[in-house]
């Protein structure tokens, strides 16, 4: 099994997300990460989908994705040829006795405290999946009360843009 990151441009229409995710589901593939948002074109959204599959079945899925009426373009983003990031908000127990230790970890990972209460800190961090995992590992001993993590977002390196070519 190999992890693949797909950048999928779609028309911003109701039901498109369900049709795209349903195609992966019908093939028995688990989507590890899914992020959807607007692009610089008002009628176009970008889906960033991370899925772990064998190479051959992924090719079948991308061909079937291309057949969906609202799918405009699909590009596989290689890790070395793209910038890939996640965002996390994590609430950690941080009473006055350990607060300075937690803040040292926050600084080490170039994260930031976005909410402070007498008993906890809420931390915001952006980075690769490995960086986020390392941050969580370091915060675990203090007690993670709550967390929310985005899916991976990614863009190809260099001046080229997948939205630069005309879309249908």
């Amino acid at each position: 099994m190999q992890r693949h990151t797909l950048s999928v441009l779609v028309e911003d229409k109701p039901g498109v997300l369900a049709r795209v995710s349903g195609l992966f589901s019908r093939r028995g593939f688990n989507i590890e990460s899914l992020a959807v948002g607007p692009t610089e074109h008002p009628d176009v959204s970008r889906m960033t989908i991370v899925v772990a599959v064998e190479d051959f079945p992924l090719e079948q899925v991308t061909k079937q994705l291309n057949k969906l009426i609202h799918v405009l373009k699909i590009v596989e983003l290689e890790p070395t040829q793209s910038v890939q990031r996640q965002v996390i908000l994590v609430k950690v127990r941080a009473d006055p006795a350990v607060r300075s230790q937690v803040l040292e970890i926050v600084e080490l990972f170039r994260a930031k405290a976005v909410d402070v209460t007498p008993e906890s800190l809420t931390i915001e961090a952006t980075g690769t999946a490995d960086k986020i995992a390392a941050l969580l590992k370091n915060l675990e001993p203090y007690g993670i009360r709550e967390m929310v993590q985005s899916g991976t977002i990614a863009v190809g390196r260099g001046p080229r843009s997948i939205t630069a070519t005309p879309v249908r």
Side-chain angles (χ1 to χ4, degrees), residues 7-9 46 73-75 77 160-165 167:
S7 187
V8 183
L9 293 181
R46 180 190 304 247
K73 190 171 189 179
I74 303 168
V75 174
L77 297 171
R160 293 186 52 192
S161 166
I162 70 169
T163 59
T165 57
V167 291

Side-chain angles (χ1 to χ4, degrees), residues 2-19:
Q2 190 176 14
R3 177 175 281 136
H4 299 273
T5 302
L6 300 177
S7 187
V8 183
L9 293 181
V10 297
E11 293 176 18
D12 189 14
K13 304 275 185 189
V16 173
L17 175 60
R19 284 192 286 283

